[in-house]
Amino acid sequence: MGKWTKESALRELKYLLAEASKLQAGFSEQHTQWVIRTLEFLEEIFGRNSRYYLSFASLKWQHTGLAIVGGPLFPEESWNPQVGFRRLNQEAFQQDLEIALGLLNAAHKRLERFEIDSVYEGKDTPPESSALIRIINLAELGLRKVMRNKPVREKEVQDAFENLLIGAGIDYSKEKDSIEYSSKTYIPDFNFPKIDLILEIKLCHTKAREKEIIAEINDDILAYRTKYGNLFFVIYDTGFIRDIDRFSTEFEKQNSVIVRVVKH
């Protein structure tokens, strides 16, 4: 959920609605990909306990139960029942598609009315979900504002972020945990036990540092995954990372890994 903002979630909903209008009646590769993407989105934004996720997940996309085919209205089906079964499946598919469109439109309206952290109904309680969103927002919206001078040491960025956490009243521990992995000891900059989260801050202040950070994050993910479910990496860049999306996307393909690049 951490990778979503309200704006990006609304854009995704519009995309899913637009793609739904292109689906043909019946199963296809396009339909399967759309269903999977929609399920993942609804789970991440609204949670597995939400009416949107549960209702969408219950759709069968084909006829179920007993049925009568043929008769005066469909004489062809009397001697070829398969034609009747295809008709029933197409009708059921179209009906479920209309239900899905209604669910997505309702979800869009709800997300327009409320903030993203208040619509989630999953295994995490609303306060926990809210805390994660607040931490991400501190990095994205607050960190640059408190860095008045270009930092030359990573500790400067860590101290600035710690001040933001204190000001926001968020409970945390700093460099208190240690994880042994592959003959090395890893100590996260910040950890938040209540939401199963660690946060690492890295400073990209030289051209060579970008490649070093990539290697460090890959190592950190392997180590921290042995103990924590959610990993958040904040990269403070003073002008050396050109393609932010490319830098972050590869890491965020992994489940529960969040990467944000903050430009000075």
Side-chain angles (χ1 to χ4, degrees), residues 147 149-157 201-214 216 234-241 247 261-264:
M147 298 298 300
N149 301 313
K150 185 179 292 188
V152 295
R153 294 180 302 129
E154 214 160 70
K155 190 176 185 304
E156 296 176 58
V157 187
I201 290 179
K202 300 183 184 294
L203 173 63
C204 187
H205 60 303
T206 65
K207 187 175 181 180
R209 183 68 181 130
E210 180 179 359
K211 290 184 178 180
E212 294 174 353
I213 290 174
I214 292 172
E216 289 174 11
V234 177
I235 319 302
Y236 197 90
D237 177 45
T238 58
F240 297 92
I241 299 177
F247 183 94
V261 176
V262 179
K263 289 283 189 179
H264 183 77

Side-chain angles (χ1 to χ4, degrees), residues 1 9 39 46 61 70 99 101 107 112 120 124 126 170 213 222 239:
M1 184 176 172
L39 276 171
F46 296 96
W61 302 101
I99 293 172
L101 289 171
E112 282 184 320
Y120 186 82
D124 296 327
I170 297 174
I213 290 174
L222 293 174

Side-chain angles (χ1 to χ4, degrees):
M1 184 176 172
K3 68 181 181 181
W4 295 102
T5 63
K6 180 174 180 176
E7 290 71 24
S8 65
L10 287 170
R11 286 197 300 271
E12 179 68 3
L13 274 169
K14 289 182 179 179
Y15 171 84
L16 293 172
L17 284 163
E19 288 298 298
S21 65
K22 303 175 185 177
L23 297 176
Q24 302 298 319
F27 289 101
S28 65
E29 181 180 351
Q30 182 185 16
H31 171 257
T32 301
Q33 293 176 350
W34 178 81
V35 168
I36 292 173
R37 181 166 177 168
T38 303
L39 276 171
E40 290 178 345
F41 172 82
L42 293 175
E43 180 179 4
E44 291 177 7
I45 300 301
F46 296 96
R48 293 183 68 90
N49 294 337
S50 69
R51 73 192 71 176
Y52 306 109
Y53 177 87
L54 293 173
S55 298
F56 189 92
S58 69
L59 297 176
K60 303 300 183 184
W61 302 101
Q62 60 185 347
H63 179 78
T64 58
L66 300 176
I68 298 175
V69 298
L73 292 178
F74 307 101
E76 183 184 6
E77 298 174 6
S78 298
W79 57 268
N80 189 355
Q82 291 301 321
V83 174
F85 296 142
R86 284 197 296 270
R87 173 180 60 81
L88 290 173
N89 283 333
Q90 289 174 351
E91 291 174 353
F93 183 97
Q94 191 61 44
Q95 183 179 34
D96 280 0
L97 182 58
E98 291 174 1
I99 293 172
L101 289 171
L103 288 170
L104 292 178
N105 276 308
H108 189 278
K109 290 179 180 178
R110 181 168 178 80
L111 194 54
E112 282 184 320
R113 292 173 55 202
F114 300 98
E115 294 304 316
I116 192 168
D117 58 326
S118 66
V119 300
Y120 186 82
E121 299 174 61
K123 65 179 182 179
D124 296 327
T125 62
E128 290 171 340
S129 302
S130 178
L132 178 58
I133 297 297
R134 289 171 65 198
I135 292 168
I136 294 171
N137 284 340
L138 286 180
E140 290 183 329
L141 306 176
L143 186 55
R144 174 62 184 90
K145 294 178 181 179
V146 297
M147 298 298 300
R148 297 183 179 180
N149 301 313
K150 185 179 292 188
V152 295
R153 294 180 302 129
E154 214 160 70
K155 190 176 185 304
E156 296 176 58
V157 187
Q158 293 169 356
D159 290 345
F161 194 80
E162 185 174 17
N163 289 335
L164 290 174
L165 291 172
I166 294 171
I170 297 174
D171 292 332
Y172 69 94
S173 295
K174 183 180 181 183
E175 298 179 341
K176 291 290 181 66
D177 198 2
S178 62
I179 299 171
E180 301 291 334
Y181 181 81
S182 186
S183 74
K184 289 180 62 177
T185 300
Y186 295 78
I187 302 175
D189 294 332
F190 300 93
N191 67 299
F192 308 83
K194 289 183 178 180
I195 55 175
D196 196 23
L197 171 74
I198 67 98
L199 186 152
E200 275 284 304
I201 290 179
K202 300 183 184 294
L203 173 63
C204 187
H205 60 303
T206 65
K207 187 175 181 180
R209 183 68 181 130
E210 180 179 359
K211 290 184 178 180
E212 294 174 353
I213 290 174
I214 292 172
E216 289 174 11
I217 292 178
N218 282 321
D219 287 346
D220 289 346
I221 289 173
L222 293 174
Y224 294 142
R225 269 257 171 85
T226 63
K227 188 172 181 179
Y228 290 90
N230 301 302
L231 315 180
F232 184 22
F233 297 91
V234 177
I235 319 302
Y236 197 90
D237 177 45
T238 58
F240 297 92
I241 299 177
R242 293 184 178 181
D243 192 335
I244 295 176
D245 290 336
R246 183 180 178 185
F247 183 94
S248 303
T249 299
E250 288 304 313
F251 295 117
E252 292 190 335
K253 287 179 180 178
Q254 304 181 63
N255 190 38
S256 300
V257 175
I258 307 165
V259 177
R260 292 293 184 270
V261 176
V262 179
K263 289 283 189 179
H264 183 77

